[in-house]
Amino acid sequence: MAPKPQKSPKVQRKGQGGKKKIKPSIPVVEEEEPMNMESMGHPEIYPLVLTTRTQEIFNCRADEDFTDEQPYKLIKKDEILADMLNRAAISDFYPVKKIVREYPGDELLLVYDKDFKYGLNFYLIGTEEGKENFLKTPEVPEEQEELKEHTPEDLYIYKPPVSKPWVSLGSEKEIEEESVKESKRRVTYMISRKRSQFGAPVTFSDQNASSIKDAYIECTSYTDKNFTLNQVEKDIGLQVIPEVKGVSTQTKWAFPKNATTQYYAREFSEEEKEALEQSKTLVDFLNNVSTSVEIALQQNEIMNTFIDDWKNLAEEESTFGDKTDTHLKEYQSFTDLHSTMEKMITCVSWHPTIYGLIVVSVAVRLSYEERVHFSGKLLLQPSLLLFWSFSDPIHPQLMLESPDDIFCFEFCPSDPNIIAGGCINGQIVLWDITSHADRIENIKAGGSRSRKAILKPMFLLEPDSNKEAMYIRHCAVSSIENGHRKVITDIHWLPDSFEINRMGSVFENRSGINCQLVTCSADCTICFWDIRPQKPASTAAPATTSAATTTTNHTNSQQPTTEKKKEETIEIPFDVPSTFLHLDLSWKPLSRIKLSKGETSLDHCPTKLSLGEDPLLCKMQGTSSIHVLLKEKVLSQVKALKSAEVNPYHNLEAGIANILKPIDDFCTKFFVGTEEGEVIYTDWKMERDSETGRFMPKKPVNLYTVHDGSVHTVQRSPFYNDIILTVGGWNVAIWKEEVMSGPLLQTCCAPKRYTSGAWSLTRPGVFYIGREDGYVDIWDLLEKTHEPAQSQNICITMITYIKPWTFSSKQQFIAIADYYGTLHILEIPWTLSHPSFNEVSSVNYYFEREVKHLEYVQQRKLIREEEKKEIALELVKKKTKVYTKTKEQMEAELRLEYESYLELEKSVLFNLGLTKVSEKVSYLDMA
């Protein structure tokens, strides 16, 4: 049966009218078999999840229409078909649509599963026989009732077993899987001979094997290295009945009894008491001890002497989980079931002020060639940001539309209702969800907005009645011609304590809110953006805040003054706010930086960057952690925006003409990770070129080639502002700002490629690293520094993003996104969320020790270079000395050789009788 066509949520503008036109799309979806309880012996039962909206439609509310006496209800087949026709895939009966259509009867039986026997809160009986068996109550004959009344309780009545039809529970499949079968084909040999040789006589004779060639062949055994015999392990199940034995001994066993004995305490007699009172020894003892006793009593009043010091040295015991549990626990997961194309999650962010709300960006899993091939089909699919809530894991709360797939986004720190995102086509998108803030703020865990509330399990949270998908259009998008040329890989809001100009100089923030952004892209550029109008307020055309029309006047100085001014009217759709209308399709970057490679014409390709944090917050790190300060700051700013009459983002022209106050002692350097695996420490401030006179970006301060793949994470520690974590390729590195000799920590090559990473928000020595095989490596620097403390499998595909989040002091979560589009929410155990005693100072001491180690290594390199130079000079000197000495020795050696030759000559001649002794002596004297 073919599925019915569904309406695509893609909305487009139509000319100047601002009307919406909905284009129908017919996705081809294959019907899947509904899940039933065949494995439990009930193939007629189909579990379902009915939301509050569906329960109200069919009058089957839990604990109201269903009771313990009547936990079922008959629902007409036509009503279910009508609901599926109206709500399509959103209908809760959509998974069993095939069963409903093929059902022979007119009414289906719906049963309320209060105890979650089959995993969900309702289940549907899909056969007439099953419905009759459920509704049929067993009737007891009157004779049996009378017999039951007269039968004594102790009397046992034998009931013969009744044969029942065999129901398969899957045991035969296990037996078939465990059975050993031949996996290889048998080798067959065919031996043949000529027909003329059939029946020929055979004669045998002895012969010498060595005399005839090829007559003797020795077949010795050898080990075949290409074949190894693997022993097959088999699981065999047996039913064993234990043997019963009766054993007796001759030991007499006595029944234990409780025995008591009454006695009187020994007391002194009256005579003994009088003797002790008059004793001088007792009086002296009491006089000597009284002072010490009084001091001890005073100390007991001042301090508790019975306090357990060891218990005070221990850590806090009021924990949410068990200390021994060190693994991440699966809490909840979110998957977009409404998208017809396969998508992956590219970025994740928790809402800054609303607890239990998380936002993800999704993108189609296609390569560049596939995107070009399916470009027509991609236009029909909206590019979305999804708002997920713990209260409804099926339906997104909001869906923000964008021109193309979003690969990075970030909430505005001053106003969480403003979101900025970077597209794959190089554009920046701005959303303003202020008008929809009430919809997401009413989503509360357990009906309370309190931060101390404990999140309930997923199945106890019922969604609101109105859960239809709400699509929100973007209110501004940057210019295609003047923006990035390729995908934007990272985006950040600049802190509200400062702002920069076109040359990169730093000034005090004139508006008191976050108004500037920084982005990096695969087109080898880093851009700074300003959301305010570039022209002064006196000359800039005023942006009308009306939601209907905006009029701007354009004049041409070359035309005569008598010509009338032309007016252009831009109609704004009613659902799009006019907050950033002055930026739409005309937004240009404030400044642009290219990371040059020096003498070559090539540039570095940045993927991630990390600017310095807010200096005001960095000064307060000693009293509290940085993430708590950020949350308190955001909450205070949100309250100020709500209490103010006019939102400052709706009046961005104000404050532009103010005099800017420069900040001299501001560090303008930042870290950048590149596509080639390099970590660059550079400066965004421009400098004037001595040859051309133009302002050019400065050369990188330092460049390190540490990672053997693209850098996916560049993140500063929430506890130390100068400690940076970088993840890329097959290794991880930790850096310290202003330390130019290299990383403090560089891990060895991992078995799988790393794809993402994040610092822990509560433990300074813990960080999480995601791998391409679905594992998460948890590093604890206080436990191990050469390998992960533990590794845990989360999914079967690549992990694309990791984002931790603190719900309360007893409960923390971490969001892990994968390549298949599933968002896993896991609960962080106690050991990974609560720091040990003085952990901040211990980790800081570790970093300081590594800095000293790097300095020592650098000094040793310099010393070794000096030693090598000294050794080289000594070798040169030795060679020179040896050369002069050898020249003198050569003359002496030649003289000695010549004298020895003459002596040998004379001795040979004398032995031959050719010379005499006198001649020999005279010859030697002459020599």
Side-chain angles (χ1 to χ4, degrees):
M1 184 180 296
K4 296 184 178 181
Q6 302 178 2
K7 292 185 178 181
S8 173
K10 187 72 176 180
V11 179
Q12 298 182 352
R13 298 185 183 181
K14 181 181 179 183
Q16 301 293 333
K19 298 181 180 178
K20 294 183 178 179
K21 182 178 180 182
I22 301 175
K23 295 184 179 181
S25 63
I26 306 176
V28 179
V29 182
E30 296 182 358
E31 293 186 356
E32 300 179 356
E33 290 293 331
M35 181 183 69
N36 61 0
M37 294 292 104
E38 185 176 0
S39 60
M40 298 179 62
H42 299 286
E44 72 279 0
I45 292 178
Y46 297 88
L48 290 174
V49 175
L50 298 188
T51 59
T52 306
R53 178 62 178 171
T54 305
Q55 295 179 20
E56 291 177 359
I57 292 175
F58 294 92
N59 294 325
C60 56
R61 295 180 293 271
D63 298 329
E64 294 183 9
D65 299 322
F66 290 100
T67 60
D68 295 337
E69 292 78 14
Q70 189 175 1
Y72 60 88
K73 184 178 181 181
L74 294 173
I75 300 177
K76 293 184 179 180
K77 177 180 177 181
D78 297 335
E79 295 178 359
I80 299 176
L81 294 176
D83 182 72
M84 288 191 293
L85 182 62
N86 293 333
R87 299 198 295 171
I90 305 177
S91 176
D92 294 333
F93 291 95
Y94 186 81
V96 295
K97 59 180 182 179
K98 184 177 180 181
I99 303 303
V100 174
R101 292 172 180 171
E102 297 177 358
Y103 190 80
D106 297 331
E107 293 181 340
L108 286 86
L109 183 61
L110 180 67
V111 184
Y112 174 53
D113 194 359
K114 184 178 182 181
D115 298 329
F116 293 86
K117 181 178 179 181
Y118 299 108
L120 301 177
N121 56 355
F122 291 87
Y123 62 86
L124 192 71
I125 297 179
T127 60
E128 283 287 330
E129 182 179 0
K131 181 176 72 175
E132 293 176 2
N133 293 335
F134 184 89
L135 297 176
K136 184 178 179 182
T137 56
E139 298 180 358
V140 182
E142 297 180 357
E143 297 179 359
Q144 293 184 5
E145 292 180 356
E146 294 177 0
L147 180 62
K148 186 175 182 181
E149 293 176 357
H150 296 287
T151 302
E153 295 179 357
D154 298 336
L155 183 60
Y156 174 76
I157 300 176
Y158 172 76
K159 295 181 180 179
V162 180
S163 61
K164 299 179 181 178
W166 180 75
V167 178
S168 174
L169 299 179
S171 59
E172 70 278 6
K173 296 180 180 179
E174 295 180 0
I175 295 173
E176 185 177 355
E177 291 176 357
E178 296 295 336
S179 61
V180 180
K181 298 180 180 180
E182 293 183 358
S183 60
K184 298 182 179 179
R185 296 181 58 185
R186 293 188 177 184
V187 180
T188 58
Y189 295 95
M190 183 179 68
I191 302 173
S192 62
R193 64 187 304 183
K194 296 181 180 180
R195 186 174 182 83
S196 60
Q197 297 179 0
F198 284 1
V202 178
T203 57
F204 296 94
S205 61
D206 298 334
Q207 64 180 8
N208 189 0
S210 60
S211 61
I212 302 175
K213 186 180 180 181
D214 299 333
Y216 174 72
I217 299 175
E218 183 180 3
C219 297
T220 57
S221 60
Y222 65 97
T223 303
D224 191 358
K225 297 181 179 179
N226 298 325
F227 176 76
T228 56
L229 183 62
N230 296 327
Q231 185 177 0
V232 180
E233 182 181 354
K234 295 198 302 181
D235 294 335
I236 301 175
L238 300 175
Q239 294 181 355
V240 181
I241 300 174
E243 297 181 359
V244 180
K245 295 182 180 180
V247 182
S248 61
T249 61
Q250 296 179 356
T251 305
K252 184 179 180 180
W253 180 76
F255 186 76
K257 296 180 181 179
N258 295 330
T260 58
T261 304
Q262 186 176 6
Y263 64 93
Y264 293 93
R266 181 176 175 272
E267 295 182 356
F268 290 107
S269 62
E270 297 296 333
E271 293 80 6
E272 292 175 344
K273 292 179 181 179
E274 291 179 0
L276 287 173
E277 289 176 357
Q278 297 176 359
S279 175
K280 184 180 178 181
T281 307
L282 180 61
V283 173
D284 295 340
F285 171 75
L286 294 176
N287 291 332
N288 294 331
V289 177
S290 59
T291 305
S292 302
V293 172
E294 290 177 358
I295 294 174
L297 293 175
Q298 292 176 2
Q299 290 179 351
N300 291 342
E301 293 179 356
I302 295 173
M303 60 180 295
N304 185 11
T305 58
F306 300 99
I307 192 171
D308 189 358
D309 295 331
W310 295 104
K311 187 176 182 181
N312 290 338
L313 290 174
E315 298 174 357
E316 184 183 2
E317 297 291 341
S318 58
T319 61
F320 183 78
D322 189 5
K323 286 186 179 181
T324 59
D325 191 5
T326 60
H327 288 77
L328 303 174
K329 297 181 181 179
E330 183 78 22
Y331 184 83
Q332 201 165 345
S333 62
F334 300 96
T335 305
D336 186 12
L337 302 176
H338 306 283
S339 177
T340 58
M341 298 193 69
E342 298 179 349
K343 295 186 177 182
M344 64 176 178
I345 297 178
T346 57
C347 188
V348 179
S349 179
W350 297 88
H351 198 281
T353 57
I354 301 176
Y355 291 84
L357 190 66
I358 188 169
V359 185
V360 299
S361 60
V362 292
V364 181
R365 300 199 307 264
L366 295 176
S367 62
Y368 178 77
E369 293 77 9
E370 292 173 341
R371 281 181 176 271
V372 174
H373 181 69
F374 296 104
S375 58
K377 188 176 181 181
L378 293 176
L379 292 175
L380 301 177
Q381 295 294 329
S383 301
L384 303 173
L385 255 69
L386 306 177
F387 281 68
W388 292 105
S389 173
F390 281 3
S391 61
D392 191 354
I394 299 177
H395 305 92
Q397 306 301 321
L398 294 178
M399 295 185 182
L400 307 187
E401 292 183 342
S402 64
D404 212 333
D405 289 342
I406 297 292
F407 273 74
C408 57
F409 69 92
E410 192 177 44
F411 285 93
C412 179
S414 297
D415 187 0
N417 294 325
I418 295 175
I419 306 171
C423 295
I424 192 175
N425 61 357
Q427 290 181 295
I428 297 182
V429 187
L430 290 175
W431 293 275
D432 187 0
I433 59 173
T434 306
S435 58
H436 308 280
D438 295 337
R439 176 183 176 90
I440 57 177
E441 286 181 357
N442 292 330
I443 304 167
K444 302 171 185 176
S448 175
R449 182 79 181 275
S450 177
R451 293 175 56 182
K452 297 182 179 179
I454 302 299
L455 293 182
K456 295 183 178 181
M458 177 182 60
F459 54 84
L460 295 180
L461 297 174
E462 293 294 337
D464 298 337
S465 58
N466 185 13
K467 283 300 178 185
E468 296 181 359
M470 179 174 290
Y471 293 89
I472 301 176
R473 291 175 54 83
H474 56 81
C475 56
V477 66
S478 63
S479 172
I480 299 178
E481 297 82 4
N482 301 310
H484 290 289
R485 301 293 181 182
K486 293 184 180 180
V487 54
I488 298 177
T489 55
D490 202 5
I491 186 170
H492 294 282
W493 289 89
L494 266 65
D496 58 357
S497 59
F498 69 92
E499 63 180 72
I500 67 172
N501 61 0
R502 295 181 182 274
M503 302 298 109
S505 301
V506 182
F507 301 89
E508 289 186 358
N509 195 330
R510 55 200 173 191
S511 53
I513 57 176
N514 301 82
C515 293
Q516 291 185 340
L517 290 155
V518 58
T519 58
C520 65
S521 173
D523 61 354
C524 304
T525 59
I526 298 175
C527 294
F528 290 87
W529 308 76
D530 199 319
I531 63 176
R532 296 166 294 190
Q534 299 297 321
K535 295 181 180 180
S538 59
T539 60
T544 307
T545 59
S546 173
T549 59
T550 298
T551 305
T552 57
N553 297 331
H554 302 275
T555 60
N556 190 351
S557 59
Q558 297 179 359
Q559 294 180 358
T561 56
T562 56
E563 186 177 357
K564 295 182 179 180
K565 298 180 180 179
K566 298 182 180 180
E567 294 185 353
E568 182 181 359
T569 302
I570 303 175
E571 295 189 3
I572 309 172
F574 69 93
D575 59 344
V576 177
S578 59
T579 311
F580 306 105
L581 185 63
H582 58 280
L583 301 175
D584 196 16
L585 297 175
S586 61
W587 193 12
K588 301 178 182 179
L590 183 66
S591 64
R592 191 187 303 268
I593 299 175
K594 281 195 174 184
L595 304 176
S596 177
K597 287 188 177 181
E599 299 177 356
T600 63
S601 60
L602 301 177
D603 298 324
H604 295 284
C605 182
T607 55
K608 296 291 180 180
L609 56 88
S610 175
L611 301 178
E613 298 293 339
D614 194 340
L616 298 177
L617 292 177
C618 297
K619 294 179 181 179
M620 296 185 290
Q621 283 185 359
T623 57
S624 179
S625 58
I626 189 68
H627 68 280
V628 175
L629 294 173
L630 284 172
K631 289 183 179 179
E632 292 178 356
K633 183 179 179 182
V634 170
L635 289 173
S636 61
Q637 290 178 346
V638 172
K639 291 180 181 179
L641 289 174
K642 290 183 178 179
S643 60
E645 295 180 359
V646 180
N647 192 325
Y649 284 97
H650 294 167
N651 189 18
L652 294 173
E653 295 84 356
I656 288 182
N658 295 343
I659 300 175
L660 302 180
K661 183 179 180 181
I663 303 176
D664 298 329
D665 55 345
F666 192 90
C667 181
T668 57
K669 300 180 179 63
F670 63 103
F671 280 85
V672 179
T674 66
E675 205 172 50
E676 294 83 9
E678 301 164 335
V679 178
I680 302 175
Y681 188 56
T682 184
D683 196 337
W684 74 60
K685 198 171 183 179
M686 301 283 189
E687 64 179 359
R688 188 181 295 275
D689 191 2
S690 58
E691 297 179 357
T692 61
R694 297 180 180 180
F695 282 94
M696 302 293 291
K698 294 183 179 180
K699 295 181 180 180
V701 179
N702 214 330
L703 187 146
Y704 312 89
T705 305
V706 173
H707 301 286
D708 47 5
S710 178
V711 178
H712 301 284
T713 301
V714 178
Q715 185 181 9
R716 292 182 180 265
S717 171
F719 294 88
Y720 318 101
N721 188 43
D722 56 349
I723 299 297
I724 295 92
L725 172 71
T726 60
V727 181
W730 280 263
N731 60 348
V732 179
I734 296 178
W735 311 80
K736 185 176 178 66
E737 203 164 7
E738 303 298 339
V739 176
M740 303 302 174
S741 53
L744 304 183
L745 173 67
Q746 181 180 353
T747 64
C748 59
C749 186
K752 295 292 182 179
R753 183 168 55 92
Y754 288 144
T755 55
S756 59
W759 285 101
S760 173
L761 298 179
T762 53
R763 288 197 56 187
V766 175
F767 52 91
Y768 307 92
I769 306 297
R771 304 191 323 201
E772 64 179 351
D773 58 350
Y775 277 79
V776 170
D777 289 347
I778 303 173
W779 289 75
D780 190 349
L781 299 180
L782 294 182
E783 183 177 349
K784 297 178 182 179
T785 57
H786 64 285
E787 63 180 2
Q790 58 176 317
S791 296
Q792 183 175 346
N793 180 258
I794 305 300
C795 53
I796 61 174
T797 183
M798 179 178 64
I799 294 175
T800 58
Y801 210 89
I802 294 178
K803 191 75 171 179
W805 178 61
T806 301
F807 174 73
S808 65
S809 60
K810 296 183 179 180
Q811 197 170 21
Q812 295 184 15
F813 297 98
I814 183 170
I816 299 177
D818 62 14
Y819 185 71
Y820 287 163
T822 302
L823 180 64
H824 305 268
I825 306 297
L826 297 100
E827 188 174 347
I828 301 177
W830 188 92
T831 54
L832 297 177
S833 59
H834 287 68
S836 59
F837 183 69
N838 291 334
E839 182 171 347
V840 177
S841 59
S842 299
V843 177
N844 188 27
Y845 175 72
Y846 166 74
F847 290 144
E848 292 177 355
R849 189 171 69 248
E850 292 299 321
V851 171
K852 294 180 180 178
H853 175 70
L854 288 175
E855 293 176 354
Y856 172 76
V857 172
Q858 200 69 16
Q859 293 175 0
R860 287 299 302 167
K861 287 182 179 180
L862 297 176
I863 294 172
R864 289 296 298 166
E865 289 178 358
E866 294 294 333
E867 290 178 354
K868 288 181 180 179
K869 291 180 181 179
E870 292 177 359
I871 293 172
L873 291 175
E874 290 179 359
L875 289 174
V876 171
K877 291 179 181 179
K878 287 181 180 180
K879 287 181 180 179
T880 306
K881 290 180 180 180
V882 168
Y883 178 75
T884 57
K885 186 177 180 180
T886 304
K887 189 175 182 180
E888 295 174 356
Q889 288 179 352
M890 285 176 64
E891 295 178 357
E893 289 177 358
L894 290 173
R895 184 179 182 85
L896 290 174
E897 288 179 0
Y898 180 70
E899 291 177 356
S900 61
Y901 169 74
L902 292 176
E903 186 177 358
L904 178 63
E905 184 182 5
K906 285 296 181 180
S907 62
V908 171
L909 293 174
F910 178 76
N911 293 330
L912 295 175
L914 298 178
T915 59
K916 298 180 180 179
V917 177
S918 60
E919 293 180 357
K920 178 180 179 183
V921 173
S922 62
Y923 188 82
L924 290 172
D925 293 338
M926 291 175 63

